[in-house]
Each structure stands twice: as C-alpha cells, then as structure tokens.
Amino acid sequence: MKDGGLNKVKSVARALAVLAFWLAVWAALAALVHKELLLPRPDLVLERFFALLVTNQFWLVTASSLLRIVEGFALGLTGGGLLALLMQKSRIATALLQPLVQVVRSTPVASFIILALVWIDKPLLPVFISFLMVLPISWANLRAGLENTDRQLLEMAALFRVRRLDVWRRIYFPSLHPYLLSAATTGLGLAWKSGITAEVIAAPRLAVGSELQAAKVNLETADAFVWTLVVAILSMALEKLLLRMMKRGKARYAPEEKA
Amino acid sequence: MSMALRQVNICFAGRQVLRDFSFTVPESGLTCLVGPSGCGKTTFFRCLAGLIEPDSGTAGGLEGVTVSMAFQENRLLPWFDAAENVAFAVNNDRELALRALAVMELSDAADRLPAQLSGGMQRRVALARAWAYNGRLLLLDEPTAGLDEELAGRVIRRFKDRWQDRPALLITHERWLADRFADRIYEASGPPLTLKDT
C-alpha cells in the first residue's frame, strides 16, 4: 500500500478511536446518572436518530434549516465583502458604517433576535440573524485583506495599464484568499450557532431549532440530543465542503500546488 | 511636445526629495543616471512614470505616454510563473511573454515560479515584462542588480538597440555600464536631487 493510503487508514482509525473513547465516556456517565431524562444512553439516542432519519419530516426540517443558515451565511459573507470595499473607497462611508459594524459585533445575539422578532417574519429571522453575525466577521477579514494587498504590485499593474478585471483576478483574489478562508470558516460556525438560536427563540415551522425547543418542552431529551447531533454533523460537513471548494479555488494561485 | 518636469517639488516625510527640479527627457538614446542610493533618482523616475503627483510644478508631455519600467524591486506576482508574470503586462499574451523571456535568456525558466528563481533570474523576469510592454518611454531602475557583468552587458545592449529611436533612462551604481552604453551620463547627488551632465 502506498504511503498516502496508509496514512489515510491511520487517520480514519485514529478518528474512530477518538469517537469510541468519547462514546464510552458518554455511556459511563449515562450509567452513572441513570436517568434518561437527564442524560440518555448513546444507544438510545442512536436508535432515536435512525427512527427520525426515515421520516419525511426529518429531511424537511433539516433541509429548511440548512437553507436558512446557508442563505444567511452567503448574504453575510457577500455583504461584509461589499462593506469592506465601500469603506476602502470612501472615508465618509467608513465614518458612517464603522460604528454600526462595531455595535453589531459587540451586541449579544439574543438582543438582536428579540428585537428582530418584532420586525421580521419568523421563517426569515434565522436568515437575518445569521447574516448579521457573519457580516462583521467577513467585513473585518476582507478589510484586513484589502489593506494588506501589496501596494507595489497594484502600482505595477497601474503602470502597465492592466485591466481592472485582471488586477482583481491576479492580485486581489490571491491576496484575499487566506482572509476569505478565515472569514468563511469562522463565519460558518457562527451562522449555525446564531441561526439555530434564532430558530429556538422564534420557533418557525420546519426548523431544527423549533424541534429542539419542542423536545425540551416535551421532556424528550433523546430527541434534543439527536437534533444537536444533526446540527453538529451538518456544520462540520458544510465546513469541510467549504474548505474543499476554497482549496480548489486556491489551487490556481498556490505556488506549492503548482510546483 | 517633449517630455519634461518643470520646477517640480516633492517632499517625503519632511524631506525635500525634489526641489524646483527641472529635466527634459531626451528625444532618443540611452541616458544614464549614476549616483548613490537615496539621492532621489527613484522618486524622479516615479514622477516621470506618473506614479506620484508632484507637490508643485508640472510634468509636461507625459500624458498618455506608455512607460516600460523595471522598478527597483522586481514586483513579481508570487502566485504565477515567469511567463504569466510577463504576460500580465501585455493582456495575458503568453506568446509575446515567451519571446520577451527568450530575449532575457530565460526560456528555460518560463514555467517556474518566482520563488524557484535566483535573484538574477527574477530580475530578468521583471526586465522581460518591461521589454514585452514595449512602451514609448523606458525607465530602468538598477536593472542589472544580481546579474554578472557579461549578461548585464548583453541585456542592456538589447534594450539600447530596441529603444534607439525612443527615450530610455537608466539608473545604475555601476559606472562601467554607463560608460559603455550611455549616450548621456548624469552624476546624481542629493537629496534634493541634482543632476550634473558629464
């Protein structure tokens, strides 16, 4: 077997061992507590998970939440990028918008959810909250990226009258890539956390957060564990997908991959 | 209308780099500026290239003039190979870029990234970019840094031949280069920059 394949097997084995360890800890704690209401056993949670997995409702709920979070995340990432651009071009825009972004950054998400509940329809609230949480992350990262783009390269491009599109493709995008990556990975995690919190509070129809809230109200702790597990799996899967997409984008610019 | 700077003043961080500085760019031929670092030669080039605005004074006859410049630094895009770096200046025309690299004796390095090239080779990629762009005015700021004497001579000879009917200015510390190739030599001192015709 080649080294690469062997390493992959080793890494999968290591991940499985870590998973087994934590499942054992969970099982031990559940046995110790011995109350399904407080801490259900892992086999019960898994059983419930597979029972839900075969229902249409499960897929509808999961897909609806996924769509809302992804929408909010994409809007926040794009909006932050546009804000960063606008602030780079205009001092007035910076003076006006910077305090607003700082306020969004430092205000607890629950405050926004409660305020936004007054103005926005329940199904749109998680989208708006995810957007609002991702926006300042994206803005801060991309602003730093724009500021750190090599001025000498931009000056060289100006001298040779390089087209604006080429300047973006060949100078800005490669320079911004690490900043975009950081914004995307941090922002995605935040979008999930804030979006699901918004769903729990607003309880829209067909939402993971609403299911979590229902599980709490009905004292179905195993269901609460299942939905939490679903959020964790989706969040990690989406992050992996995003990283893969960005890596593919970077391959066009990364020296080590061309070498 | 000839290209010229008239009564130009430029101040950086409280230091007067150009003071009432006037210079008319010769219509053709290679003009060399020889002098120590930090006397204002590069600022003079940047002003001619339109990369900095003078605090006062005028830059005449330079509007719309295309400028082929090799900066003091190589300014290569680290993400792209040598040919792409050159092509960047000429609407991504790779054929033209490869020809320019051949002139700089770098055909073998066309698909190598800047980090995989020696300092002298990187310098020649920057020179190939200026060559490929083929501007009306040529500005070379210490073009032969990192090149051995023989190669430096061949490269400068090619630039001189190609730009014989257009103005070309060159900054160098290497007196032999100026003595061998220049049509005019100015001794530079400063700041503020002064040029003495020798």
Side-chain angles (χ1 to χ4, degrees), chain A residues 40-111:
Chain A
R41 294 194 322 265
D43 58 310
L44 281 179
V45 172
L46 276 180
E47 194 183 303
R48 190 69 193 122
F49 177 68
F50 288 117
L52 282 172
L53 209 61
V54 292
T55 62
N56 283 340
Q57 180 74 2
F58 174 86
W59 293 105
L60 275 173
V61 165
T62 309
S64 302
S65 281
L66 182 68
L67 198 67
R68 287 190 198 105
I69 306 289
V70 169
E71 265 179 70
F73 167 73
L75 287 172
L77 203 65
T78 313
L82 291 175
L83 266 188
L85 261 181
L86 186 67
M87 287 188 183
Q88 202 205 22
K89 297 273 175 209
S90 157
R91 282 188 187 171
I92 298 171
T94 307
L96 289 174
L97 295 170
Q98 190 146 350
L100 206 66
V101 179
Q102 303 287 11
V103 167
V104 174
R105 275 178 114 169
S106 49
T107 306
V109 63
S111 306

Side-chain angles (χ1 to χ4, degrees), chain B residues 163-176:
Chain B
W163 261 265
Q164 60 183 333
D165 299 325
R166 292 174 281 174
L169 276 76
L170 185 154
I171 291 173
T172 185
H173 292 301
E174 297 171 275
R175 184 74 210 200
W176 69 267

Side-chain angles (χ1 to χ4, degrees), chain B residues 30 32 148-157 160 172 174-185:
Chain B
L30 181 64
C32 279
D148 65 62
E149 209 174 300
E150 208 173 305
L151 181 58
R154 288 201 299 275
V155 165
I156 297 304
R157 161 63 60 199
K160 182 176 160 68
T172 185
E174 297 171 275
R175 184 74 210 200
W176 69 267
L177 201 71
D179 288 339
R180 195 188 304 172
F181 295 106
D183 298 304
R184 272 159 247 96
I185 301 175

Side-chain angles (χ1 to χ4, degrees), chain B residues 34-111:
Chain B
V34 185
S37 298
C39 66
K41 304 182 300 290
T42 296
T43 303
F44 163 51
F45 264 28
R46 286 164 54 76
C47 191
L48 273 179
L51 298 174
I52 42 173
E53 283 287 318
D55 300 329
S56 63
T58 55
L62 289 157
E63 298 84 14
V65 170
T66 52
V67 181
S68 271
M69 183 168 176
F71 295 88
Q72 199 171 27
E73 319 80 18
N74 294 321
R75 303 196 185 190
L76 302 179
L77 306 169
W79 315 281
F80 297 109
D81 65 29
E84 285 169 311
N85 261 285
V86 176
F88 181 65
V90 285
N91 286 327
N92 303 313
D93 186 338
R94 199 173 166 90
E95 282 305 309
L96 190 55
L98 290 173
R99 285 205 296 275
L101 284 169
V103 172
M104 296 300 140
E105 303 178 24
L106 268 180
S107 293
D108 293 345
D111 58 355

